[in-house]
């Protein structure tokens, strides 16, 4: 799940002693909490429904198969993203900065951008150690296409030794090659159109065009996920055939089938609510608003820069208040004696790490 940190960055941080910092630890714990929410509330629950449909696909309709495939896109995002956030948050608590690994990938406007947002550490590793050594995009268009296909085919094999993984990689490689062709045609067409018309068209349809491109990119990505999730290539093909031939799109959503697939009715509603929370948070992050920064008590300071004094006063009062030591008391700023103990612990840990 990553992140796959480069040694040049990690070794330098391990050599430098880190001191306990309340704000850094609190931010790291909040990131871990978000990772656990993604993993336990969304990914693990979604996996129950997805597994049920993929294991017994012959008994489910076209609509339910498509629903399960869309849900798998959410599941794998929260699975990998949750693990990454837990790892990044835990490292931050210990004073180690790891690279971001997921950046709202389903808001990408094309498949090229998707791979700049999805599993960033792995994508950059394949780029630097496979795609660039093959020649990257320095050669002809044909050679670039071959380099892209090789990179994504190897990426598929990296995930597992199965033909369905190879096909998944080939699909994404084809997306990259087709995307380069589309960009070339688009740039050529724009050069032939008057600049005023291009500017007028882009200003009037910018929001709608972006939304449409996001939807198309998600559909293409989700189509590839079907091959990734299927147990083998034959099952993926059989599921596609059933989606096309069955034709029942809404029946199993109205006859109670959804509530008999391993989750109780309340758990299905909880899963839907959690996915809604995920969507809102990703929208806010995409807009440049950090929920974690707001929660890290500088909520007032984050929203109103002039209110920072109030935040500090509230935090100071929380630190003076009593209470047991727990994750929430740490996030709230309680128990000053605990900080001093942790500070000494950090000094000992970092002193040991610097000697390695």
């Amino acid at each position: 799940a990553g992140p796959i940190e480069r040694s040049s960055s990690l070794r330098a941080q391990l050599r430098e002693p880190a001191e306990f910092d309340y704000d850094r630890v609190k931010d790291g714990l909040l990131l871990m909490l978000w990772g656990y929410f993604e993993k336990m509330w969304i990914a693990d629950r979604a996996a129950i429904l997805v597994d049920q449909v993929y294991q017994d696909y012959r008994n489910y309709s076209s609509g339910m198969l498509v629903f399960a495939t869309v849900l798998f896109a959410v599941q794998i995002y929260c699975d990998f993203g949750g693990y990454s956030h837990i790892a990044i948050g835990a490292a931050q608590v210990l004073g180690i900065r790891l690279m971001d690994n997921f950046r709202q990938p389903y808001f990408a406007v094309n498949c090229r951008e998707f791979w700049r947002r999805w599993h960033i550490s792995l994508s950059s590793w394949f780029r630097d150690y496979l795609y660039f050594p093959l020649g990257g995009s320095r050669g002809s268009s044909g050679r670039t296409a071959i380099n892209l296909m090789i990179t994504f085919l190897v990426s598929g094999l990296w995930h597992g030794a199965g033909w369905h993984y190879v096909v998944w990689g080939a699909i994404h490689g084809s997306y990259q090659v087709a995307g380069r062709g589309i960009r070339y045609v688009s740039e050529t067409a724009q050069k032939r159109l008057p600049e005023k018309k291009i500017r007028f068209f882009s200003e009037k349809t910018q929001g709608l065009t972006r939304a449409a491109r996001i939807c198309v990119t998600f559909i293409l990505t989700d189509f590839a996920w079907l091959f990734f999730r299927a147990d083998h290539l034959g099952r993926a093909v059989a599921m596609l055939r059933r989606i096309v031939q069955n034709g029942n799109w809404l029946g199993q959503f109205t006859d109670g089938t959804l509530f008999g697939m391993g989750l109780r009715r309340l758990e299905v509603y909880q899963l839907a609510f959690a996915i809604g929370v995920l969507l809102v948070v990703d929208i806010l992050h995409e807009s440049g608003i950090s929920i974690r920064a707001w929660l890290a008590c500088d909520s007032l300071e984050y929203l109103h820069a002039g209110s920072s004094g109030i935040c500090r006063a509230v935090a100071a009062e929380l630190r003076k208040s009593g209470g047991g030591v727990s994750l929430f008391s740490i996030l709230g700023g309680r128990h000053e004696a605990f900080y001093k103990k942790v500070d000494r612990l950090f000094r000992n840990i970092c002193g040991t790490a610097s000697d390695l």
Side-chain angles (χ1 to χ4, degrees):
I4 305 171
E5 192 62 60
R6 305 295 175 90
S7 62
S8 58
S9 171
L10 196 57
R11 290 172 60 188
Q13 295 185 72
L14 291 176
R15 291 195 185 100
E16 297 178 1
E19 297 183 355
F20 176 78
D21 179 82
Y22 164 73
D23 292 326
R24 188 196 70 235
V25 171
K26 181 168 61 174
D27 188 62
L29 291 173
L30 283 170
L31 188 57
M32 290 177 67
L33 277 177
W34 177 248
Y36 282 118
F37 172 79
E38 289 180 300
K39 172 58 181 169
M40 299 173 67
W41 270 69
I42 301 179
D44 288 352
R45 296 187 181 195
I48 295 174
L49 299 179
V50 173
D51 291 349
Q52 176 66 29
V53 174
Y54 270 73
Q55 289 172 5
D56 195 19
Y57 69 93
R58 294 183 182 88
N59 290 326
Y60 291 100
S61 64
S62 299
M64 193 60 73
L65 291 175
V66 171
F67 169 76
T69 305
V70 172
L71 193 59
F72 176 69
V74 178
Q75 175 199 334
I76 194 170
Y77 172 39
C78 291
D79 217 338
F80 286 5
Y83 279 134
S84 293
H85 287 141
I86 294 169
I88 295 171
Q92 185 171 324
V93 169
L94 296 174
I96 299 172
R97 172 66 181 171
L98 301 181
M99 67 184 298
D100 291 334
N101 208 29
F102 290 85
R103 195 176 297 124
Q104 300 84 247
Y106 294 136
F107 283 91
V109 297
N110 55 56
C111 294
R112 181 186 184 187
E113 184 184 347
F114 173 81
W115 285 104
R116 294 177 177 177
R117 293 168 173 256
W118 177 274
H119 212 323
I120 301 169
S121 59
L122 179 62
S123 301
S124 61
W125 191 93
F126 275 111
R127 179 198 64 199
D128 295 343
Y129 293 102
L130 182 57
Y131 179 65
F132 285 166
L134 286 172
S137 59
R138 294 190 297 271
S140 64
S141 298
R143 181 61 200 180
T144 300
I146 293 174
N147 294 341
L148 286 168
M149 290 301 299
I150 292 175
T151 301
F152 278 94
L153 287 172
V154 173
S155 174
L157 284 173
W158 183 88
H159 285 89
W163 283 111
H164 57 301
Y165 291 119
V166 175
V167 171
W168 172 81
I171 291 172
H172 273 286
S174 300
Y175 289 164
Q176 300 300 314
V177 174
R180 289 181 63 87
I182 293 172
R183 283 194 301 274
Y184 174 78
V185 172
S186 176
E187 291 171 359
T188 303
Q190 288 180 10
K191 290 178 181 179
R192 297 181 179 181
L193 290 174
E195 184 177 350
K196 290 183 178 180
K197 288 186 178 181
I198 296 175
R199 186 166 59 249
F200 175 81
F201 180 79
S202 61
E203 290 175 355
K204 293 295 183 180
T205 63
Q206 182 177 9
L208 183 61
T209 301
R210 177 175 174 80
R213 294 178 69 187
I214 289 173
C215 290
V216 171
T217 302
F218 178 79
I219 292 171
L220 293 174
T221 304
D222 200 42
F223 171 75
W225 280 138
L226 187 147
F227 289 88
F228 189 94
R229 173 58 186 82
D231 293 337
H232 50 81
L233 183 58
R235 175 163 294 188
V237 173
M239 289 182 66
L240 285 173
R241 185 183 297 114
R242 182 163 180 79
I243 290 173
V244 174
Q245 295 177 353
N246 177 261
N248 182 3
W249 294 97
L250 299 176
Q252 291 189 329
F253 292 100
T254 59
D255 63 2
T257 300
L258 185 61
F259 304 112
M261 296 165 54
L263 292 181
R264 297 190 300 271
R265 183 180 296 267
L266 178 60
E267 291 175 322
V268 172
Y269 292 150
Q270 289 173 339
L271 174 60
F273 174 78
I275 293 175
V277 172
L278 173 71
L279 179 62
V280 170
V281 170
D282 272 8
I283 290 174
L284 291 174
H285 284 172
E286 188 71 9
S287 302
I289 301 173
S290 173
I291 298 297
R292 197 167 77 252
W294 182 77
L295 288 175
C297 171
D298 303 325
S299 50
L300 294 177
E301 182 176 356
Y302 185 73
L303 296 175
H304 304 288
S307 303
S308 58
I310 297 176
C311 275
R312 294 193 185 95
V314 171
E317 289 300 320
L318 285 171
R319 290 188 179 95
K320 291 178 183 178
S321 63
V325 178
S326 67
L327 176 59
F328 294 100
S329 67
I330 295 171
L331 295 177
R334 299 178 181 175
H335 217 292
E336 193 73 29
F338 175 72
Y339 296 154
K340 294 179 180 179
K341 292 180 181 179
V342 174
D343 187 33
R344 289 196 296 271
L345 178 62
F346 261 75
R347 292 176 184 273
N348 292 336
I349 292 175
C350 294
T352 303
S354 62
D355 295 335
L356 296 178

